[in-house]
Amino acid sequence: MADKTAYERVKAARRPDKITTAELVHGLTTSFFEQHGDRLEADDPAIIGGIGLLNDKPITVVGIQKGADTDENIARHFGSPTPEGYRKALRIMKQAEKFHRPILALVNTPGAWPDVDSEYHGQGSAVAQNIIQGMQLKVPYITIIVGEGGSGGALALSCGDRVFMFEDSIYSVLSPEGYASIMWKDSSKVKEAAEELKLTPEALLEDGIIDKIIHEYEPGDDLSNLRSFLDQEFSELAELPIDELVDRRNQRYRNF
Amino acid sequence: MLRSRFNMPSHEELVKRMDAIPDHILRECPICHSTFFSLRAGTSKTCPNCGYGFRITAKRRAKITFDSFEEIDKQMTVPEQYKDEKYLAKVKKAKKVTGINESVLTGIGTLDKQQVGVGIMDPFFVMGSLGSATGEKITRMFEEATRKKLPVIMFTASGGARMQEGIHSLMQMAKVSGAVEAHSQAGLFYAVVLCDPTTGGVTASFAMQGDVILAEPHALVGFAGRRVIEQTIMQKPPKDFQSAETVMEHGFIDAIVPRKEMKQTLKQLISLHTKEQGYGR
Ligand SMILES: [Zn+2]
C-alpha cells in the first residue's frame, strides 16, 4: 500500500508469511520439472529453477527461495544464493535460450550470500556473468521482485526486458541497515535510511527502474490474473525480432 | 575397465541371479542389504526397501520404459579386426545373456505417440563397456534423431572404455560427443538416465552431456573407480562418494527418479520439449 512509510514497506517485504517463490512457481505453472545443480560443483537450494507450462506454453522459471523455518533457512542461506546458486540459475537460463523458452525470474533475497567460501568461489564473478550473459539472452526475460531485492544479488536475476514488483517489496543498492551504518555510522537510523534509499515500488516506478507494480498475492490466492498478465507480456515480447528484443533490453539499462 | 561396485557380486554372478532365478528365491539388495522374495522386486526389478534399481538387460528396460520400440542397427557387433580368443568368448557369452549383439540397444521408441531416439546400455554385455560398435550405434542413433528432428533418451550403464579395443574405444567418446553436439545444435532435446553403474569414459562423455540428467536411486556414478583411487594416491574415499545422491549434491544431476516413475517423468520431459505451442519460434 502506498500509504506505508518506506520502513514499514521494508518490514512488509520481509514478513515471513509472504507468498514464497515456490508457491508462485507451482501456482503459475503446470507440469513443473525442477532442475538441480550448476554442473560444476554444487546444487544451491537457495535457487529453484525448472521448466513448466504457463497457459500450456513452456517457460523456464528461476527464483530465489527463502526457507519456511530455521532449518530450511539455514539450508537455503536465508535466500542468499552462493556463487554456485547463481551459476545454477545461469545454466538453466542458457538452456531456456536453446529451447526458445522465455524466462520468468522471481526474486526475494537480502543479497548474495556473504561468506568466505563464496568469496573464494567467485561470488563477484558469478553475479557478473549472470548480468552480462543475462542481458544478451535471446529469449524474453521478465523479473518479478516478490519481497526483498537486495543489491547485486537481486540484479543478477533482474536484467531482463521487464521488471515488476509486488506491492510489499523493496529493491535497493544495499539494505537500509547497511546504508545507515555506512552513511551515518549508526545502524539504528534504519527508518531514515529506508527513506533515502527510495526503495519502494512507487519510487522505483517513478524513476523508471521498474515497469509496473503488481498487487500483492497471499499464500493460497488464485493466481490466474497474474498468469494471464504474464502470458500477455511474454506474447508481446515474443513478437519482437530477437535482435530488437536484445537491443531494447540493453537500451533499457543504457538509459540510467 | 573401471570396476568399482562396493561389495557387489561379480558380473557373472549377477547375470545368473537376474532373469534365470524363480520368483520365490530370496535376494539381497546390494545397497541397503535387506532381503526379500524376488517376486517383490516386481517387473521393474527394484528393491522394495530403498528403491535401488537392480541391473537389468537393455531389452527389459526398453520393454518397461517405452510404449513401443523398434531396434536399429541390430546386427552391428565387434569389428572383425579383434581376434583375441578370450575376448571373443566373452562377447559370445554376452550375446547369449543379453540377446543383443553389442553393449547398447538403439532404436526409435515412442512415449505418448511421440517418437524418440533411444539408446540403452546393457550392463551384462562385457560390463556395458564402450566398444567401437557401441560408439558407432549410439552415433548413428543420434544422427538418425537429428535427421528426423527427434529428442533422444539415453540410458547409461557402463564400466567405461573397452580395454580390449584399446585406443579405438577411447575415440568413441569423441565420436559420440560430435553427434550429440550436432543434435543439440539442431535445437533438439537430449535426456540422460544414469543407471547403475555409469563410470569411466561413458561418464566422461555422453552421460554428462544431456540437457537434463536423471539418475536411478543409489546408482553408482563416477569417473575413476574406487580401487584406482585407493591404489594410485592411497586415499580412502567415503562410502557413498559415487552414489547418484552424492553426485547430485555436487551439482551434476537434475533429479533422481525411481524406476517405477521413470516412464512418467520421461513423458513429462518429452512433452515439455516437443510442445507445438510456445512463445515465439
Ligand atoms: Zn535396497
Side-chain angles (χ1 to χ4, degrees), chain B residues 241-260:
Chain B
F241 83 120
Q242 289 177 328
S243 74
E245 290 73 12
T246 304
V247 177
M248 180 166 168
E249 272 175 41
H250 285 86
F252 301 96
I253 292 172
D254 282 292
I256 292 175
V257 181
R259 192 173 288 168
K260 282 178 193 154

Side-chain angles (χ1 to χ4, degrees), chain A residues 224-244:
Chain A
S224 47
N225 282 344
L226 183 54
R227 196 183 308 120
S228 311
F229 170 68
L230 290 170
D231 180 50
Q232 191 191 327
E233 290 288 323
F234 278 133
S235 302
E236 279 173 20
L237 291 168
E239 276 175 24
L240 294 172
I242 293 298
D243 290 348
E244 198 181 329

Side-chain angles (χ1 to χ4, degrees), chain A residues 1 39 54 67 70 86 116 157 193 216-217 223 245:
Chain A
M1 306 295 133
R39 297 288 183 271
L54 185 87
T70 309
Y86 288 112
V116 174
L157 291 180
E216 190 72 22
Y217 288 87
L223 300 177
L245 178 78

